[in-house]
Structures are given as C-alpha cells and as structure tokens.
Amino acid sequence: MAEGEQRAVSPAMQDPAEQMGRSTQASAGASIFGRVRDAVNWAFSGTTTDQPERRTYALDEALLNEIVRSKMSPMGKGRPVEGIPHTNPDPTKRSITVMNAATGQIVSVGDMEHRFSQQSMSKPTAMALAIELMGSEKAYRQYVGVEASGRPYNDPALLPDGRAFNSSVNAGALSTWVLIMAHTPEGKDPLDLYMDKMKALTGNPHLEINKEMARGEHKYRPQDGGKSGNQKLLDVLDNAGLMQVLEKRFGELTSEQGQQRKQDLMDKAFENYCMACAVMVNTRDMAAVASVYRNGGMRVDASGEVIQVLPKEIAEYVHGSNAVSGSYNESGTQFAKNRFSGKTGVDGGIFGSLLGHPDLVVATHHSDLNAAGNSGEGQKWIGTLDKLDVAFPENAGSAVMPGAYHELHTMQKGELGESPREMDDRLRSETRRNVLDAIEADLRSQGQEGGFYLKNPDLSNGKDPLKGGETVAVQENVGGRPQRYTIAQSNHNRTQVKVTDEQGRPNPLGLSAVPRDAGYWEELNNNINTLQVDDPQIADRPQTVRGPRP
C-alpha cells in the first residue's frame, strides 16, 4: 500500500473474515505503544490480491451527511448527561469532522457553531501534560496504570498495588491532576499549562472554559449533603498512598496543619479537573487533537505547515492508552468492532483514530448517551466510516490512490439505507393500533416508562434475534401480514421491540401484497382514526395508517 492511502472495506463487498485480512509494512516504534500502533497498522491496513474491486467514496460533505442521516436513532433512544450543572445537551445538534493527520485535509458537517464541553475528552491531554512534567511515561506509570478495567468510568476499584487502572476512569483522571500539581514548576499555574497545551493541540487560541459549569460540578453535593462521587474517589486514592507525591512539592502533610493543607491541595486538583472538563470545543478542535496523537505528536495544518506539539513518545503512549480504555467498559468492543482508538466524553463527544484507514482521525458529537456513557450515534458513524473505502477528493489520481482506486464515487442520499428512526416510523405506521397499545401496557406493567421503538432485526451477525426476548403479540399488520413483536433485552432509555414474521425472520417489506378492496382500507382507517388517545406518552403516534392501496 502506498503511504497515506486511505482505505477501508465496503459493507456490500466485505465479510467479517475479510476485514481482518489486511497487511501493511510496519515501522519501528519508539515505545511500547509505538509497537502496538505498528501491530494495529499491520493488522488493519493493507491490500489483498483476492478481493473483488470495491467502490471508493469521496470523503466529502455528501458522504458525512449520508452517514449521519442513515444512523439517526429514534427520538429518546439515548439519554443526555445528567447531574452536571449548566450543561445544555441538545439532541437535535449533530456534528462530525474527519481529518487526514498527515496532510491536514479536513471535512466537517453538522452544527459546527454548537460548542460542547470536553468532559472526559480532557483526560488524554491531562495525561500528556503529566508525562511531560514528570519526564517519562515510565515515571507516570508508577502512579497510574494502563490496564482495561472493564468497569464504569466512576467505579472506585483500583489495581492490587493501589494505582488507578488507567487515566480514562475518574480515579485515574484525578490521580493525573494530583501528579500535575505535584510537578508544576514554581511560579506556574497547572490550569494555565493545561490550557496552553489544549490551544497548541487544537491550533485554536480562543478556547474558553465554561467556569460556571466547572464550579457547579466542583461544588455539587448529593441530596444527603455528603461528599460527591469524585470526592470519595480522592479519599480512596489518599488511603492508597497517592497523596504522598504532593509532599515532594509542598512539604510535610502529616501534621494537623499538614493534613488540612493536603485536603486543600486535593480539592484544588479536583477543581482543576472540573475546569479542564468544562473547556468548550467543537469537532474540528477535537479532530485536530486526535491528529496529533496519531501523527507522532505533530499537527499539520491545511496549509501544510507542520508543528511538533508533543514529543513522539508521549503522543504514542496517549494514543495506545486511548485504545485500551478510552471508551470505558466498551473500549475492547470499539477497538474490535469499529477499529477505533479514541476517547469519549459524557457531553456527547468522541475523538480518535480510524485504525482501518492510515492517517485518518475523526471527532463526533451527539448528546444522547448509551448505558456506558458514550454517544451511541457517534459510535455508529465511526463504525460506518470504518466499513467504507474512502479517500479525500484531492487524492484522486495521485500517488496515494494508485491502480483501481483512481475513481471516487459521490455518496448519494439514501444510499446507506433506512435509518433506525425511519424504520421505527415505518413499522409504527404498519402496526395495528391495538398492538402498539398492548406493548405500551406490557412495558408499564414491568415498570418501564421510557417508551419503545420498533426494529427489524439484522441477521448478518449470526445471532438469534429472539433469544432472551419476550413475545408480546403475534398479529397481522395493517396489510394482513402476520408479525411477531418481541421485547428485546436492552440498556437503552427506550426499549427495543423487534418485529419479525411468525418464525422470527426479519421482514423489511412489512406490508402484505395481498389485494384488498377500497372498503377494507376505508374501514380500517376509520376505525383507527376514531380511537381516543388520552395518554400523552402515545399521543404522537400516527392517527392514520399507510398501506398498499388497490
């Protein structure tokens, strides 16, 4: 493969086995994560000789708009962040940026003027700053691990030696800020150093902190008046001996007076962490940050100017750490399923590397979160990009697009098929009203008040679509075709109901082609239109049905 070639696999042409069959020549890595990076590039990038020719799409606004459209979720499927004062999540706002880290080429679509808070996306930059201040990643790893925890981001568990599992969980992030404070030179402010680093990474000198948001999170207390979860984590870290590192910088902290000083320093570390989380960004900013971590510490502007922002060894360490833990307890899944190494934030942002595409990085934003605290739509956009052959239009016919890949196709609207939201709307219009009401009643009887959405299951993963589910109805739809409605196990805010035929097979066409006379449709519509809808949770359902008219 030529250097800089941007490739992935078209879902129409590639099966899962082929996706793992790529190869490329590996280069020497300067650190353990450099070698991890090389192994990933070898495994995920390259060419094979027995694959059929695939369509390569222009990486432009048309492509990104179609990806966003095709993965739009049913309203309310996810849940925006709660408990952080002064956040203003808006599920109608979506944005995505893709960048070539080696050339600076960039494309964005969506609400680019809408800024959102970094939240946990601040953690990789804090880690990079701490390593820089401490002199090496080896020194940093004496206090913060680089192990996948498999636990939620706010879990208090530590490694057996008392270190946080990694820098992505809150215990690791708070540890990192304690280390930053302990190693900040005299006369310097830790937060100023962090903001300087963020401005250098993004190339944006105008970044600002939403201080009202930061202070709200810092001062937050639960209803019982006790300590917040992050304050409790600081106590866990103190009991594990982490705060001893502060004595090297601030002197004795064991006497009564020293204990109070230690508490003040711990609180200041927490405040700085909150301030870093409240830096307001957009996806263009975060794509630039991702490009530095992927490109060995260098940021390349669209003009071609190359700026060394971080030492190569630090950039590689951060990049590898993001692959291990950046998506919390979904990190392994995102690495294996979407070939993604990056970091998420609970205000809906994601940024990182598309490992199946040499040099490509991505940043996304949508505020609705899944059960792990990650943006569900953002993850799906990333997964779709991974499965497509893409290249920036400027690369067509150049050295990075040789041979059969010289022709770029423009993605057409609707080419990626029906979105989950469109599918839900279609299936509702095809489902008899009494069935919808029966599903609603069944869920309420189980204490599930979040509503539901309908879906034709996908059998391409080889899974039984009805396994573990509860069938609540088998009844003809409005077109006379028998349908099975099965409540699926789900961690979403809204419950998924799978719609299949009687045997549990997907039925994407939905309506029967059996001829019906005009009187049948008139009677059916009249009956549905006369139903009284007093329940506000189902008042938005269609009052008429669509079907094949004779």
Side-chain angles (χ1 to χ4, degrees):
M1 176 180 291
E3 182 180 356
E5 183 177 345
Q6 299 154 18
R7 301 192 47 201
V9 182
S10 168
M13 303 301 297
Q14 175 105 8
D15 63 29
E18 289 177 319
Q19 292 184 22
M20 300 303 294
R22 304 179 177 188
S23 63
T24 192
Q25 183 175 1
S27 60
S31 68
I32 182 173
F33 281 121
R35 294 192 291 276
V36 170
R37 177 206 60 198
D38 294 339
V40 166
N41 285 339
W42 184 88
F44 287 155
S45 306
T47 59
T48 61
T49 58
D50 58 349
Q51 292 179 358
E53 182 177 351
R54 296 186 297 271
R55 173 170 291 187
T56 304
Y57 290 95
L59 185 47
D60 56 14
E61 291 184 4
L63 174 76
L64 296 186
N65 277 321
E66 173 61 5
I67 288 174
V68 171
R69 181 209 63 79
S70 70
K71 299 303 176 183
M72 191 171 291
S73 299
M75 285 292 292
K77 177 183 176 182
R79 187 192 302 271
V81 63
E82 298 175 346
I84 300 179
H86 307 293
T87 54
N88 187 29
D90 184 346
T92 68
K93 304 291 187 183
R94 294 172 170 85
S95 58
I96 179 173
T97 297
V98 180
M99 183 177 182
N100 185 318
T103 66
Q105 293 162 293
I106 191 168
V107 60
S108 302
V109 299
D111 300 283
M112 299 308 299
E113 300 305 315
H114 177 70
R115 291 193 165 266
F116 52 95
S117 59
Q118 282 196 109
Q119 295 304 320
S120 288
M121 293 193 302
S122 68
K123 295 171 181 178
T125 301
M127 172 170 48
L129 175 60
I131 294 172
E132 200 166 30
L133 291 172
M134 298 176 75
S136 71
E137 48 91 3
K138 183 177 180 180
Y140 177 76
R141 279 194 289 118
Q142 293 179 14
Y143 298 94
V144 181
V146 65
E147 307 294 339
S149 72
R151 300 170 182 267
Y153 63 88
N154 54 359
D155 193 279
L158 302 176
L159 289 166
D161 60 8
R163 293 178 301 158
F165 275 87
N166 53 66
S167 63
S168 292
V169 293
N170 284 8
L174 293 168
S175 298
T176 299
W177 272 102
V178 169
L179 293 171
I180 291 172
M181 290 188 60
H183 292 87
T184 296
E186 290 281 356
K188 300 288 186 178
D189 181 79
L191 187 59
D192 288 344
L193 294 179
Y194 178 86
M195 289 302 296
D196 289 344
K197 188 65 66 180
M198 272 299 297
K199 290 173 182 179
L201 288 165
T202 61
N204 181 358
H206 306 296
L207 290 179
E208 295 182 349
I209 299 172
N210 184 333
K211 293 185 177 180
E212 188 177 23
M213 179 189 299
R215 292 179 182 128
E217 184 173 7
H218 178 232
K219 298 298 183 184
Y220 168 79
R221 297 292 182 274
Q223 291 184 347
D224 62 10
K227 292 185 176 183
S228 67
N230 282 324
Q231 289 174 316
K232 292 178 181 177
L233 285 177
L234 282 168
D235 289 340
V236 170
L237 295 170
D238 185 21
N239 292 333
L242 174 69
M243 303 309 163
Q244 294 175 10
V245 72
L246 293 171
E247 293 187 355
K248 301 176 182 179
R249 171 73 168 76
F250 299 102
E252 179 273 324
L253 298 175
T254 56
S255 65
E256 183 176 345
Q257 184 176 4
Q259 286 285 334
Q260 182 57 53
R261 181 163 176 75
K262 181 175 71 173
Q263 289 296 321
D264 292 341
L265 291 169
M266 290 164 57
D267 188 65
K268 187 62 178 178
F270 178 33
E271 182 182 17
N272 285 336
Y273 164 72
C274 294
M275 290 288 178
C277 288
V279 175
M280 305 302 290
V281 295
N282 62 18
T283 54
R284 292 181 72 92
D285 293 327
M286 298 314 298
V289 177
S291 75
V292 175
Y293 294 137
R294 179 149 202 190
N295 201 29
M298 294 184 293
R299 177 168 56 80
V300 182
D301 291 337
S303 64
E305 181 182 5
V306 179
I307 304 169
Q308 190 77 40
V309 180
L310 284 174
K312 180 180 179 181
E313 294 79 5
I314 295 178
E316 290 179 343
Y317 185 85
V318 173
H319 190 257
S321 178
N322 285 342
V324 170
S325 61
S327 299
Y328 306 123
N329 46 325
E330 290 185 321
S331 299
T333 300
Q334 291 304 303
F335 183 82
K337 181 179 179 181
N338 293 339
R339 297 183 293 186
F340 180 69
S341 167
K343 188 72 196 78
T344 65
V346 294
D347 209 5
I350 304 176
F351 78 103
S353 295
L354 295 165
L355 298 174
H357 298 272
D359 302 319
L360 289 192
V361 296
V362 63
T364 68
H365 176 254
H366 184 248
S367 62
D368 279 2
L369 308 177
N370 62 19
N374 300 320
S375 172
E377 284 195 24
Q379 289 179 334
K380 288 181 172 61
W381 303 341
I382 290 167
T384 304
L385 278 167
D386 171 65
K387 294 173 179 63
L388 294 173
D389 278 339
V390 297
F392 276 98
E394 293 86 346
N395 288 348
S398 72
V400 298
M401 288 292 294
Y405 292 93
H406 69 279
E407 182 181 0
L408 295 182
H409 297 267
T410 298
M411 178 69 74
Q412 302 300 309
K413 184 176 181 180
E415 188 170 347
L416 294 180
E418 189 177 44
S419 73
R421 179 173 295 186
E422 291 165 342
M423 181 183 293
D424 179 47
D425 290 343
R426 172 179 60 81
L427 290 171
R428 283 177 181 270
S429 72
E430 296 170 359
T431 299
R432 295 179 184 272
R433 187 55 176 271
N434 65 318
V435 175
L436 295 174
D437 290 342
I439 295 171
E440 191 87 53
D442 187 89
L443 290 174
R444 288 189 174 183
S445 70
Q446 301 178 41
Q448 301 179 41
E449 302 289 344
F452 66 93
Y453 65 98
L454 302 178
K455 180 181 180 180
N456 287 134
D458 176 14
L459 293 186
S460 63
N461 55 17
K463 295 181 180 179
D464 179 356
L466 304 185
K467 184 177 180 180
E470 175 197 355
T471 297
V472 291
V474 178
Q475 185 170 331
E476 290 184 351
N477 63 15
V478 296
R481 183 188 293 271
Q483 302 278 255
R484 178 186 294 268
Y485 298 85
T486 303
I487 296 176
Q489 294 178 339
S490 172
N491 292 323
H492 299 134
N493 188 43
R494 291 177 68 184
T495 301
Q496 181 185 115
V497 177
K498 295 180 178 179
V499 182
T500 64
D501 66 11
E502 308 99 303
Q503 284 76 40
R505 297 171 299 195
N507 178 21
L509 297 179
L511 297 175
S512 171
V514 176
R516 301 285 190 180
D517 60 30
Y520 169 85
W521 289 108
E522 181 179 1
E523 180 182 0
L524 181 62
N525 279 320
N526 287 339
N527 289 339
I528 290 181
N529 285 333
T530 58
L531 288 176
Q532 297 298 312
V533 182
D534 298 322
D535 190 330
Q537 291 208 23
I538 60 174
D540 61 341
R541 290 181 181 160
Q543 296 299 299
T544 61
V545 296
R546 297 192 299 272
R549 300 302 195 262

